[in-house]
Amino acid sequence: VLNGLFSLQGFDDLPISPVFNAIDLHKGSAKQQLLFASLTTVDYLLEAYRATGQEKYFNVALESIKAFSDFESSRFLDTGFLWNDHAIAARIPILIKFWLNYRDRDDFDLALAQKFFELIIRSGLLLAKPEHYSWRTGHGIIQNIALLQITAAFPFLQETENLRGVAIQRFSNHLPYYINEEGATLLHSAEYNFGGVRLFSMVMRLYTLNELAFPKSWWDRYYRTINFYDTLRRPDGTLPMFGDTRSIADLLGPPRTYKL
C-alpha cells in the first residue's frame, strides 16, 4: 500500500494512492472495488503498525481515514461501493481498530476525533436505516453485527441505545430464516455454512459485550449450526462444491464461541 499497490491473492495488482483517493473506488474488479471501499488498505496499514510499531504505517492510515471521511461526508449521491451495505459494515471494525490505536496518542487531535465520530454516527445511521437493510440475505446479519460493534465500542454515543435496539430487533426476526432449526444456513451454498457459524458466533459474543441476554434456545441452534457445518466438511477440509463455494481446504474451520 505504501508503494501505491493494492495486492490481493488471485487478482492483478492495482495502482492506487497510498492515502485514500476517491478515484480508486472505480478501479479493478467488483470485489477489489468492494474491498477498497471497505477500507481494507487501511486495515493492512493498521496491522503493519501493530506488528512493527513503525509510525509510517499509522500515519498513512490516519491520513486515509481523514481523506475518506471528508469525501464520504461531501457526497449527495452514492458512487461505486461507497454506501454499499457490506462495505459500510466492513469499515466499522477497521475504524474501531484505528480508534483503539489513536485515542491515547500524544498527537491526539480533538478536531480529528470529532470528524471520526461523525463518520461512525453516519455509518451507524445508514446501517440502521430500514430502506438500507438487506433483510433477505446474510448482508443483513453483517449490518446488525456492525451496529453491535459500534454500540460495544462506543457506549457513550447518544445514538447507541437506538442503534442497539435496531440490531436486536432485526437479528431476532432474521435468525429463523437465516439459520433453520436443523442448523443449516439458508443461503443455498455449502460455504455460507462457514459464515453461519462465524457470524452467529460474533452475534452471541457481541450480545455479551453489550451486556445483553439472549434466549437460551440460541445455544441449541448454535450447536446445531456447528454440527451441520462439521457434517458438510470433508476430511481434507474442503466443502461440497455447490452454490457459491470455493475448493479451498480449511483445516481449522470458522471461529467459534463458547459457553462458560
Side-chain angles (χ1 to χ4, degrees), residues 87-119:
I88 298 171
R91 289 197 289 261
I92 297 304
I94 298 169
L95 293 173
I96 292 171
K97 187 184 298 185
F98 168 79
W99 181 250
L100 178 66
N101 286 280
Y102 184 68
R103 59 183 178 176
D104 294 324
R105 287 176 62 91
D106 293 336
D107 58 354
F108 180 89
D109 179 69
L110 190 60
L112 175 57
Q114 180 176 347
K115 185 188 298 285
F116 171 85
F117 280 112
E118 288 172 351
L119 174 59

Side-chain angles (χ1 to χ4, degrees), residues 226-246:
I226 292 173
N227 291 336
F228 189 88
Y229 172 79
D230 288 343
T231 300
L232 281 180
R233 193 166 61 161
R234 298 161 170 163
D236 65 356
T238 62
L239 292 168
M241 291 290 290
F242 66 87
D244 185 16
T245 304
R246 299 165 296 173

Side-chain angles (χ1 to χ4, degrees), residues 3-16:
N3 292 330
L5 287 177
F6 187 25
S7 183
L8 292 171
Q9 185 176 2
F11 295 89
D12 293 335
D13 288 349
L14 279 181
I16 60 168

Side-chain angles (χ1 to χ4, degrees), residues 146-160:
L147 288 174
L148 291 173
Q149 288 172 333
I150 292 173
T151 60
F154 310 114
F156 47 81
L157 292 178
Q158 184 177 358
E159 294 79 7
T160 289

Side-chain angles (χ1 to χ4, degrees), residues 1-2 41-58 61 97 101:
V1 173
L2 289 186
T41 55
V42 174
D43 194 31
Y44 289 166
L45 292 164
L46 292 174
E47 284 301 307
Y49 174 68
R50 180 186 64 81
T52 68
Q54 294 185 39
E55 288 291 311
K56 63 181 181 180
Y57 298 119
F58 187 82
K97 187 184 298 185
N101 286 280

Side-chain angles (χ1 to χ4, degrees), residues 197-211:
V197 175
R198 177 173 176 267
L199 297 183
F200 201 177
S201 298
M202 292 174 69
V203 168
M204 295 172 75
R205 177 60 179 147
L206 283 164
Y207 264 66
T208 303
L209 292 174
N210 277 278
E211 299 182 347

